[in-house]
Amino acid sequence: MGMRYRQYLAGTRVYGCSTCRTHLATIHSMLSRAFNGQHGRAYLFEGVVNVVEGEPSERQMTTGNHTVRDIFCVKCGTTLGWKYDRAYEPSQKYKEGKFILERNLLVDVQ
Amino acid sequence: MRFPDNTDQDSALSVSLDFEPEAGPSSVALNNDLSAAVSNGNGHAVSNGHGGPLFSNGASSSTNGKLTAAGYASKGSHAISRVSLPGTKLYEDSHVDREEFVRLVIQSLRDVGYIESAATLEAESGYTMESPEVAEFRECILDGSWDSAEVTLSRLGVSDDESLRMARFLISQQKYLELLEASNVNAALHVLRSELAPLNTDVDKLHSLSGLIMCSNAEDLKSRAKWDGAAGVSRRQLLANLQRFIPSSVMIPQRRFASLLQQAYTHQRTQCLYHNAPYDSSAFSLYTDHHCSRDSFPSLTTHILAEHEDEVWNVQWSHCGRYLASASKDKTAIVWHIGVSLHPLRRPKTGPNTRDCIPEKVLRDHPYPVGCLAWSLDDSILLTSSEHIIKMWNPKTGLCVRELDAHTETVTSLVWLPDGSGFLSGSMDRKIILWDVDGKQRDTWGTTVIRVTDLAVTPDFSRLVAVGIHHLPSSANNSAVTLQDGGTPPTGAATQASTERRRDVENRLIIYDLATKQQEVSIRLEGELTSVKISQDSRYALVNHAPDEVQLWDLDSARMARRFTGQRQGKHVIRSCFGGVDGNFIVSGSEDGNVYVWHRDTGALLEALPGHGEGSVNSAAWNPKDERMFASCSDDCTIRIWEIPPPEMMEAVGSPMAEQNGKGKGRSRDGWDGTG
Ligand SMILES: [Zn+2]
């Protein structure tokens, strides 16, 4: 609702959407490179910008059961990864509220 | 100035007044046609033989000889006796000095040509408008008797040598110019060397004066000296310029009473919260304080334009005031024809203004939602922006004339230059581009410090004001961010980094010199800035500032002059505008769905107009040709046209009114709601 400009990030490294170059996350908010997505390697981020969140769904992952939402690029609509709403395994709780972006869908922007 | 307080002279006074039957020179407005300024009743201007215009007020024409000293003497039969009053004040409890007041009245009387009344008042009060020296001085100046003028000047009570020197310089300068005008170069040179040079220490000024000797003829001289010659108003202008060196109690400034009344008018106007009456209207009377009623404020929705299929983000009136362009998230812009109000016979007896509002052209083929709109000065081109693309449209045919693809990020502002010779675009890509009317790039600001969220140009062509986001060079200690593998909970480092990012962003208002593109001032502000507009006088910038205010910035002093509070803009792009006569109103959209209106000069919140549905009111625009109409647009997919309520509505605010029918063109609905 309402008009909003997309957010722009700054820093040593800014990741953008490979389709439309919309800014998504900085390397400063990256928590881990050791994740896997639909298209191979994926990164876990503390926060991302310019994404739309989809409906929550239950997903079984290698680290247990999670409630996640797909996230889409606000400009071009590409599905970029997902957000963890809830992790059922106590050891995985740290992922809650964090975001996964697929490495192959990212491009360096500045 | 008082006559000698000598009772012996009282009777003599009334018969020996040595007044010339002419209106005081202060009656002559510098830029007025002289004959128009003096004609009064059946009066006709006559010459008194020494060049200055004479004025007669009807019956007592000086040509009939009645106003000679003998004429006064013959009236001695009803001699005017001086009235002796206690104290010095006009009223016992007032601060107004009686002498000052009476002298201004005398001046006013003489100005308009009531010469006898003025003389009578002088006799009755014992005050004279001015001393004979002042009258003589004025005559000398107007006659061009420069030597006598200098002599008289020394008797006018000029307090310090510096002032006297400046006054002398002005007189000699006029003398010099007039000699040049008369092609008397040798005499002019003499004045330059023997009078101007010794008086002035300003080398540049002397240099430019001496340069005028090279002028080929009188016309050339006048245009280069910006001076209109001995026969023009230049001597009167000189008199006005000399005024500041002569005590005003000695020589009363021209039209002083009228100046005071003008000040009263200005004061009342700035205090009039709902002021929306044209300057020359009968809305101002000396009998009563001026006050505009809320009834003449456009507080009523008269038309709802519902053609867009998604949120409407922006609206912009054509310069002719008959077309409204709207920009929507639905990837279209619409050109609406806002018709003239229907003839009284064709419209319902009661109810608001009725007019046809037709969506004339729907401008499609935008790849993304439409954000900006800008009409060319002659309304022949309408610009729209959609993400990084700018489109030029012919609003008459609805055809896209050109597509401009030079920006790499969202275009956030499109504004035409004040002379219509081109336009500027500002973008999130940190570029400001100047285009010509054919869509060719003419100039660019290079890479600006900020990602531009809006910009505006002052009507006087002097400045460009841009607002936007400045990303500070990253100060975060990058190496401190430790990357964790998927199995291990991370430390707090990343969280810290993400909050760090917010601090690396600041919002700035930047004032550029338009000609040189140099930054004049850059001001850091707390909230996000989403809109900037410039006042008609080029002095102020109106800026929307998140989360809850609109700020008025004085561009000359680079200080905030006023803030308008009440509206909400937590995260959306909300725009505002000036509106009404002299831009007396400030109107802004708001995330709470109301249209906010403030009084510009006091900051008083006048209206929070409800009516729009769910979501934000994104923008508002005042009709440039009709001070009683504006438009607002909203997330509710509609545009509202606001006008003044009909008179009968004032009597029954809030009573249910019949829906107006018959305007079913397009999907524009005509309806209205009370705002009470
Ligand atoms: Zn994208």
Side-chain angles (χ1 to χ4, degrees), chain A residues 6-74:
Chain A
R6 290 189 299 281
Q7 285 191 57
Y8 291 86
L9 304 172
T12 39
R13 201 160 176 193
V14 176
Y15 297 103
C17 167
S18 62
T19 310
C20 70
R21 305 183 63 84
T22 289
H23 290 202
L24 298 170
T26 64
I27 196 164
H28 306 308
S29 84
M30 186 189 281
L31 301 171
S32 168
R33 296 181 195 267
F35 279 76
N36 284 304
Q38 318 261 12
H39 309 275
R41 220 12 109 97
Y43 303 151
L44 181 71
F45 288 93
E46 172 71 27
V48 302
V49 298
N50 302 321
V51 294
V52 178
E53 296 174 11
E55 292 301 309
S57 67
E58 298 299 312
R59 223 168 278 178
Q60 184 63 42
M61 306 209 177
T62 50
T63 49
N65 211 10
H66 296 81
T67 305
V68 300
R69 296 165 183 268
D70 282 337
I71 54 177
F72 312 95
C73 171
V74 76

Side-chain angles (χ1 to χ4, degrees), chain A residues 1 3 6 8 28 32 94, chain B residues 387 409 478 484 486 572-573:
Chain A
M1 289 286 270
M3 184 182 190
R6 290 189 299 281
Y8 291 86
H28 306 308
S32 168
Y94 74 93
Chain B
E387 277 297 337
E409 296 289 347
N478 299 339
Q484 306 289 326
H572 294 129
V573 177

Side-chain angles (χ1 to χ4, degrees), chain B residues 15 84 116 130 246-247 264 289 351 361 366 392 407 433 451 476 484 522 529 558-559 619 624 661 667 672:
Chain B
V15 294
S84 218
E116 284 194 81
E130 60 192 14
I246 299 165
D289 282 1
K361 298 290 175 214
H366 292 98
M392 301 175 74
H407 286 288
I433 300 176
R451 292 189 186 274
Q484 306 289 326
S522 174
L529 311 172
R559 285 169 189 277
S619 185
N661 303 316
R667 277 168 50 206
W672 58 311

Side-chain angles (χ1 to χ4, degrees), chain B residues 474-544:
Chain B
S474 182
S475 57
N477 188 353
N478 299 339
S479 59
V481 180
T482 40
L483 298 179
Q484 306 289 326
D485 98 20
T488 322
T491 64
T495 316
Q496 207 178 335
S498 80
T499 51
E500 201 84 46
R501 181 180 60 77
R502 293 206 170 277
R503 265 186 269 133
D504 287 350
V505 172
E506 56 183 44
N507 305 288
R508 287 198 167 264
L509 166 77
I510 301 183
I511 305 172
Y512 293 96
D513 181 303
L514 188 58
T516 65
K517 295 185 295 218
Q518 291 303 304
Q519 182 177 305
E520 280 181 20
V521 186
S522 174
I523 301 159
R524 189 189 164 181
L525 294 169
E526 275 307 308
E528 262 180 74
L529 311 172
T530 58
S531 168
V532 57
K533 298 275 166 53
I534 309 287
S535 64
Q536 258 317 303
D537 64 5
S538 298
R539 172 119 191 237
Y540 298 99
L542 186 68
V543 177
N544 276 64

Side-chain angles (χ1 to χ4, degrees), chain B residues 320-637:
Chain B
C320 69
R322 289 184 294 117
Y323 295 91
L324 181 71
S326 56
S328 168
K329 192 182 176 184
D330 71 7
K331 303 182 186 177
T332 73
I334 294 180
V335 177
W336 302 83
H337 180 251
I338 308 298
V340 293
S341 169
L342 291 186
H343 189 275
L345 291 177
R346 281 185 57 209
R347 74 175 167 232
K349 278 211 171 55
T350 60
N353 242 344
T354 312
R355 55 180 89 235
D356 291 323
C357 298
I358 302 162
E360 274 208 344
K361 298 290 175 214
V362 181
L363 313 181
R364 301 179 194 280
D365 301 328
H366 292 98
Y368 298 96
V370 185
C372 303
L373 300 159
W375 292 86
S376 64
L377 225 56
D378 61 1
D379 296 331
S380 66
I381 303 170
L382 175 65
L383 305 172
T384 63
S385 74
S386 180
E387 277 297 337
H388 59 286
I389 301 286
I390 299 167
K391 280 174 172 267
M392 301 175 74
W393 302 83
N394 179 334
K396 293 240 156 43
T397 61
L399 296 175
C400 181
V401 187
R402 210 156 270 129
E403 185 175 299
L404 313 177
D405 186 2
H407 286 288
T408 54
E409 296 289 347
T410 312
V411 172
T412 54
S413 41
L414 289 171
V415 293
W416 285 85
L417 292 175
D419 65 353
S421 65
F423 60 90
L424 288 154
S425 60
S427 164
M428 284 292 194
D429 65 8
R430 291 203 183 99
K431 273 190 263 175
I432 297 174
I433 300 176
L434 174 61
W435 308 80
D436 68 18
V437 285
D438 296 322
K440 293 196 184 67
Q441 285 193 44
R442 209 160 81 190
D443 205 351
T444 154
W445 257 245
T447 303
T448 57
V449 182
I450 50 173
R451 292 189 186 274
V452 179
T453 54
D454 201 6
L455 65 81
V457 174
T458 56
D460 68 4
F461 244 100
S462 67
R463 292 171 170 139
L464 182 151
V465 182
V467 293
I469 302 155
H470 175 45
H471 295 265
L472 301 173
S474 182
S475 57
N477 188 353
N478 299 339
S479 59
V481 180
T482 40
L483 298 179
Q484 306 289 326
D485 98 20
T488 322
T491 64
T495 316
Q496 207 178 335
S498 80
T499 51
E500 201 84 46
R501 181 180 60 77
R502 293 206 170 277
R503 265 186 269 133
D504 287 350
V505 172
E506 56 183 44
N507 305 288
R508 287 198 167 264
L509 166 77
I510 301 183
I511 305 172
Y512 293 96
D513 181 303
L514 188 58
T516 65
K517 295 185 295 218
Q518 291 303 304
Q519 182 177 305
E520 280 181 20
V521 186
S522 174
I523 301 159
R524 189 189 164 181
L525 294 169
E526 275 307 308
E528 262 180 74
L529 311 172
T530 58
S531 168
V532 57
K533 298 275 166 53
I534 309 287
S535 64
Q536 258 317 303
D537 64 5
S538 298
R539 172 119 191 237
Y540 298 99
L542 186 68
V543 177
N544 276 64
H545 180 282
D548 55 9
E549 64 187 37
V550 183
Q551 302 178 347
L552 191 68
W553 283 83
D554 184 335
L555 297 176
D556 289 342
S557 65
R559 285 169 189 277
M560 198 202 300
R562 201 153 289 115
R563 52 177 96 220
F564 307 95
T565 57
Q567 113 284 13
R568 292 275 172 276
Q569 53 171 107
K571 50 185 189 213
H572 294 129
V573 177
I574 303 290
R575 301 176 202 267
S576 61
C577 68
F578 292 93
V581 170
D582 298 335
N584 188 45
F585 302 119
I586 304 295
V587 189
S588 177
S590 173
E591 285 173 0
D592 65 10
N594 293 319
V595 178
Y596 281 77
V597 184
W598 298 267
H599 181 235
R600 184 198 57 201
D601 293 340
T602 61
L605 176 63
L606 301 177
E607 305 283 343
L609 300 167
H612 275 298
E614 191 79 357
S616 304
V617 172
N618 297 304
S619 185
W622 207 279
N623 189 313
K625 284 281 148 53
D626 183 350
E627 66 274 3
R628 295 172 160 205
M629 183 196 281
F630 72 93
S632 62
C633 62
S634 156
D635 287 353
D636 72 3
C637 309

Side-chain angles (χ1 to χ4, degrees), chain B residues 228-350:
Chain B
D228 76 345
V233 298
S234 67
R235 289 179 181 176
R236 294 180 188 287
Q237 183 64 59
L238 169 64
L239 207 50
N241 292 341
L242 287 167
Q243 181 79 57
R244 70 195 148 103
F245 304 112
I246 299 165
S248 50
S249 63
V250 174
M251 186 164 93
I252 302 170
Q254 296 190 16
R255 295 185 163 201
R256 182 61 189 157
F257 218 135
S259 305
L260 292 173
L261 294 176
Q262 180 63 37
Q263 286 171 25
Y265 172 68
T266 305
H267 172 75
Q268 289 174 24
R269 205 184 48 168
T270 52
Q271 296 302 302
C272 177
L273 295 184
Y274 279 98
H275 187 76
N276 203 22
Y279 186 75
D280 56 351
S281 82
S282 54
F284 181 68
S285 163
L286 292 182
Y287 297 136
T288 176
D289 282 1
H290 168 82
H291 172 74
C292 280
S293 127
R294 181 177 180 265
D295 302 359
S296 53
F297 182 85
S299 58
L300 181 77
T301 298
T302 53
H303 298 84
I304 296 171
L305 314 184
E307 185 73 18
H308 281 296
E309 287 163 5
D310 208 331
E311 300 170 3
V312 189
W313 286 350
N314 216 337
V315 279
Q316 205 66 236
W317 289 96
S318 65
H319 294 86
C320 69
R322 289 184 294 117
Y323 295 91
L324 181 71
S326 56
S328 168
K329 192 182 176 184
D330 71 7
K331 303 182 186 177
T332 73
I334 294 180
V335 177
W336 302 83
H337 180 251
I338 308 298
V340 293
S341 169
L342 291 186
H343 189 275
L345 291 177
R346 281 185 57 209
R347 74 175 167 232
K349 278 211 171 55
T350 60

